[in-house]
Amino acid sequence: MSFNLNNMFIKLKNAQLVKKPFITHKKQKLCIKFLNVLWDEGYILGYKTSNSNSNMFEIFLKYNNGKPLINKVIFLTKPSKRMYLSLKQLWKIDSNFGLIIISTNKGVLSKQDCQKLKIGGEPFVFIC
């Protein structure tokens, strides 16, 4: 997991706490995969390439009645301590109040998508 990805999630959380409409972040392929999952699950409004700098993203934040959707970000896997979950272990995790993003051999997916495809993987981040 790269520093750039960790930085993106922390920027998302902090910007939502101060109610910013969007943030800019450095463009990277791995970040695109995670942003697609966040967009599919409804945690962000979207993202696009910045008009002023083509190496940057503009990520548009989403709020629910003025309250941020991303309150807490917990990193589950670190480079020094990898963790892998099987399909059986995924079913035991109760994530009704948040989103778990998992890296699998099919790409970066949410926990619900992993359960539908019946695959396990490496959980990166828990968002609530």
Side-chain angles (χ1 to χ4, degrees):
M1 189 162 56
S2 70
F3 172 75
N4 209 8
L5 185 63
N6 291 350
N7 194 16
M8 181 185 74
F9 281 113
I10 298 302
K11 280 170 105 175
L12 282 170
K13 180 189 72 126
N14 290 339
Q16 284 216 321
L17 291 176
V18 295
K19 300 189 190 299
K20 286 191 173 187
F22 69 93
I23 62 166
T24 57
H25 186 70
K26 186 178 176 188
K27 190 185 273 190
Q28 193 177 39
K29 286 183 183 180
L30 187 61
C31 291
I32 293 171
K33 294 176 185 178
F34 279 88
L35 286 173
N36 285 335
V37 173
L38 287 174
W39 183 69
D40 289 340
E41 296 294 325
Y43 281 84
I44 60 172
L45 290 174
Y47 64 93
K48 70 173 188 169
T49 304
S50 178
N51 294 334
S52 60
N53 187 353
S54 63
N55 292 332
M56 300 291 277
F57 279 128
E58 287 181 358
I59 304 168
F60 301 99
L61 306 175
K62 187 175 181 180
Y63 298 92
N64 187 11
N65 296 329
K67 295 182 180 176
L69 290 177
I70 301 173
N71 293 317
K72 190 182 280 189
V73 175
I74 301 170
F75 297 103
L76 301 173
T77 299
K78 299 174 186 172
S80 62
K81 185 178 179 186
R82 300 270 183 200
M83 174 177 38
Y84 298 95
L85 299 176
S86 67
L87 179 63
K88 221 182 229 187
Q89 292 168 325
L90 282 177
W91 281 102
K92 292 179 181 180
I93 297 173
D94 182 27
S95 64
N96 292 334
F97 57 92
L99 171 70
I100 297 175
I101 301 177
I102 301 171
S103 175
T104 68
N105 59 351
K106 305 280 186 193
V108 177
L109 303 170
S110 67
K111 177 186 169 251
Q112 290 79 15
D113 292 338
C114 287
Q115 289 174 336
K116 288 177 190 172
L117 294 173
K118 298 181 180 178
I119 54 175
E122 181 181 1
F124 272 113
V125 67
F126 176 70
I127 298 172
C128 56

